[in-house]
Amino acid sequence: MAGNGVFAEIIDGEVYKYYCEGEWKKSASGKSVAIINPTTRKTQYKVQACTQEEVNKVMEIAKAAQKSWAKTPLWKRAELLHKAAAILKEHKAPIAECLVKEIAKPAKDAVTEVVRSGDLVSYTAEEGVRILGEGKFLVSDSFPGNERTKYCLTSKIPLGVILAIPPFNYPVNLAVSKIAPALIAGNSLVLKPPTQGAVAALHMVHCFHLAGFPKGLISCVTGKGSEIGDFLTMHPGVNCISFTGGDTGVAISKKAGMVPLQMELGGKDACIVLEDADLDLAAGNIVKGGFSYSGQRCTAVKVVLVMESVADILVEKVNAKVAKLTVGPPEDNCDITPVVSESSANFIEGLVMDAKEKDATFCQPYKREGNLIWPLLLDNVRPDMRIAWEEPFGPVLPVIRINSVEEGIHHCNASNFGLQGCVFTKDINKAILISDAMETGTVQINSAPARGPDHFPFQGIKDSGIGSQGITNSINMMTKVKTTVINLPTPSYTMGKL
């Protein structure tokens, strides 16, 4: 059970504590932030409303802890990460319980997220030992005009204090995808979890605490974004920001100054279906990609661009699969569960009503109860409809019929997003040409967009982000190159004469 057993120390009465200096603490503010259960729409949990003074303390401690952690051998850092991964998997049930109640994630998917997170931490430990254990050796005479009088040694050193801000939809997995690379690289880590998902994140942080990481190396502050959000992201003690979320990331990037940024900010992932596609394969992936976790994924299929000649058949196949989706509470492992908040549900409804006013074809009747929205496929969507461009983050999927591949690519590239896309065709030559033409960070061929496996590079272009994620890229991004040059009095060549 959440907040019980080994997790008993992270809660005080009804309010979960924040984590600082290796201890679970109550905020001096005396205030808390309520976390609303998307299914019941009632308060499920409460977390501390940390103050700016407490953020200052966390940053001060994190800076000091990082200095000693950077001197910790790589194998020892990896050993602690492996231990944290094992503890995380051991306690998957209570963490998954939080995910079900905080963000309405289906129970089986919640467990999967925790196990996947443990695997990510272990893989990061191994990858970090490999790539950080190697440096470069350069000699000066490879550049014109130089004798071999200089030996250059390069290595990767930590940035300092990493600020990690994960999103509500994967508050555990997209937290450890920032935490583990930061730690193996020798950084300290300050986590600001999303409000929805904060308690799951606090349980996850306690697994790192139980693993025995040094005090102050990992901190987790909770609170209102309006009070500590900008204060955190603009704090002079932060040396790098890794953020996953939405429009807030754009504001952060404008305020962050000379701080390295790693950002993934959403997408409008297009699925292009050609005449020669395996339509059964395409339909299955469209439903999985568009409706899993109620469409609340950055890599969800957000718009289907299908050739007119096969559109009727594809829509029929997709509708048949949509009809089989189960709708209900996450505890029952339903395919479609409530979206995260009432404001999200209202936004989705606004997109649906706009499409209705502009005569989109509703393949199912629109139905909503509270935060629960039934899956909806919208056919004959036109570019003048909001749903053609905006990211619903819900179980509503638009279909736009196209008359040429060029038309589909144009629509994809006209979006301000550029996270992922996919193309379905049996012609690999066409697939490669279309992939090259699509202005997205990743293109999947004959499969729905996906973030993972977690060691694959994951990045967006345009408004979808800055930099690249994936385990290796994250480790590299959270380090900088340090160079030491040895200057010789005379040229020296391997196996040469003195």
Side-chain angles (χ1 to χ4, degrees):
M1 290 284 290
N4 287 292
V6 297
F7 297 108
E9 66 178 290
I10 77 172
I11 190 170
D12 178 65
E14 294 183 345
V15 185
Y16 281 87
K17 302 175 186 176
Y18 78 101
Y19 188 64
C20 173
E21 208 169 5
E23 298 176 1
W24 291 97
K25 300 182 177 184
K26 294 188 290 183
S27 172
S29 71
K31 299 177 182 178
S32 64
V33 178
I35 298 173
I36 307 300
N37 183 318
T39 305
T40 64
R41 291 187 289 165
K42 296 178 180 178
T43 297
Q44 183 69 51
Y45 302 118
K46 294 178 182 178
V47 295
Q48 303 293 324
C50 292
T51 66
Q52 293 184 0
E53 291 75 16
E54 286 160 342
V55 168
N56 280 333
K57 182 68 173 176
V58 160
M59 290 298 176
E60 180 185 337
I61 292 167
K63 183 177 181 179
Q66 188 273 325
K67 296 298 182 184
S68 58
W69 178 246
K71 299 175 182 177
T72 303
L74 266 173
W75 68 265
K76 183 65 176 177
R77 298 181 207 166
E79 187 178 77
L80 287 170
L81 283 171
H82 281 303
K83 191 173 180 181
I87 295 170
L88 192 60
K89 288 183 177 181
E90 180 186 352
H91 298 293
K92 61 181 180 288
I95 300 175
E97 176 194 329
C98 296
L99 293 171
V100 170
K101 293 180 178 178
E102 287 188 277
I103 61 171
K105 181 161 285 191
K108 64 180 185 301
D109 295 337
V111 172
T112 298
E113 177 175 346
V114 181
V115 173
R116 173 186 180 182
S117 299
D119 291 338
L120 188 157
V121 173
S122 288
Y123 193 105
T124 303
E126 294 297 320
E127 185 73 355
V129 167
R130 284 191 290 270
I131 66 176
L132 296 172
E134 295 181 353
K136 280 188 177 181
F137 174 66
L138 302 173
V139 290
S140 55
D141 65 314
S142 59
F143 196 86
N146 285 270
E147 296 286 350
R148 188 170 294 192
T149 56
K150 295 177 182 288
Y151 289 165
C152 178
L153 309 175
T154 68
S155 60
K156 292 172 181 173
I157 62 172
L159 293 177
V161 179
I162 310 295
L163 174 61
I165 308 176
F168 81 83
N169 55 347
Y170 288 90
V172 175
N173 184 257
L174 282 173
V176 300
S177 72
K178 307 173 190 304
I179 295 170
L183 296 180
I184 194 66
N187 299 288
S188 58
L189 190 289
V190 176
L191 178 69
K192 168 59 177 75
T195 299
Q196 302 289 139
V199 174
L202 291 169
H203 281 73
M204 174 272 296
V205 168
H206 193 57
C207 294
F208 281 82
H209 170 79
L210 294 172
F213 281 88
K215 290 183 177 182
L217 187 67
I218 305 168
S219 302
C220 184
V221 293
T222 55
K224 296 179 180 179
S226 59
E227 294 179 5
I228 63 170
D230 282 352
F231 192 75
L232 272 166
T233 56
M234 298 173 68
H235 199 284
V238 172
N239 302 115
C240 171
I241 300 173
S242 180
F243 174 91
T244 305
D247 295 341
T248 303
V250 177
I252 291 173
S253 68
K254 292 177 179 178
K255 299 173 183 176
M258 292 284 287
V259 174
L261 301 176
Q262 182 186 51
M263 295 199 164
E264 190 266 285
L265 309 179
K268 185 68 176 176
D269 298 6
C271 173
I272 299 177
V273 183
L274 304 191
E275 295 106 327
D276 69 339
D278 180 332
L279 296 182
D280 288 315
L281 177 67
N285 275 273
I286 287 168
V287 172
K288 179 183 178 183
F291 295 103
S292 63
Y293 188 39
S294 303
Q296 296 176 110
R297 297 162 40 251
C298 293
T299 55
V301 173
K302 305 282 175 54
V303 59
V304 177
L305 302 163
V306 57
M307 295 295 287
E308 180 69 57
S309 60
V310 294
D312 286 343
I313 301 172
L314 179 69
V315 168
E316 181 182 348
K317 290 179 180 294
V318 172
N319 275 325
K321 293 182 180 296
V322 169
K324 295 178 182 178
L325 295 175
T326 56
V327 181
E331 289 84 355
D332 294 345
N333 274 320
C334 293
D335 299 309
I336 305 297
T337 56
V339 295
V340 71
S341 66
E342 185 176 354
S343 61
S344 293
N346 291 341
F347 175 76
I348 296 163
E349 185 167 295
L351 296 179
V352 172
M353 292 301 105
D354 175 78
K356 185 177 182 180
E357 290 171 7
K358 295 172 181 173
D359 297 323
T361 301
F362 279 56
C363 297
Q364 296 81 22
Y366 174 66
K367 184 178 179 183
R368 172 186 173 186
E369 291 180 5
N371 295 342
L372 185 61
I373 296 175
W374 269 248
L376 175 61
L377 189 72
L378 296 172
D379 194 6
N380 295 301
V381 167
R382 301 187 313 274
D384 65 327
M385 299 178 189
R386 290 175 56 199
I387 192 73
W389 304 104
E390 297 182 42
E391 184 180 24
F393 235 64
V396 179
L397 183 59
V399 176
I400 298 176
R401 297 174 177 232
I402 57 176
N403 294 302
S404 68
V405 173
E406 290 75 17
E407 185 182 346
I409 293 171
H410 174 76
H411 184 91
C412 171
N413 292 350
S415 172
N416 62 312
F417 290 114
L419 186 60
Q420 289 204 7
C422 61
V423 56
F424 286 85
T425 175
K426 294 175 183 175
D427 187 333
I428 188 61
N429 297 317
K430 285 183 181 177
I432 294 297
L433 289 172
I434 293 169
S435 172
D436 286 345
M438 293 174 74
E439 296 174 359
T440 60
T442 302
V443 176
Q444 303 275 349
I445 296 174
N446 291 324
S447 184
R451 179 181 57 85
D454 286 317
H455 66 301
F456 280 18
F458 180 59
Q459 58 282 317
I461 60 177
K462 297 187 281 189
D463 287 353
S464 284
I466 300 171
S468 180
Q469 299 179 53
I471 290 169
T472 303
N473 287 344
S474 291
I475 294 172
N476 286 329
M477 186 265 169
M478 294 177 182
T479 61
K480 55 188 171 185
V481 174
K482 174 69 179 289
T483 299
T484 300
V485 179
I486 301 171
N487 292 274
L488 303 175
T490 58
S492 180
Y493 291 91
T494 305
M495 305 299 288
K497 293 181 180 180
L498 291 176

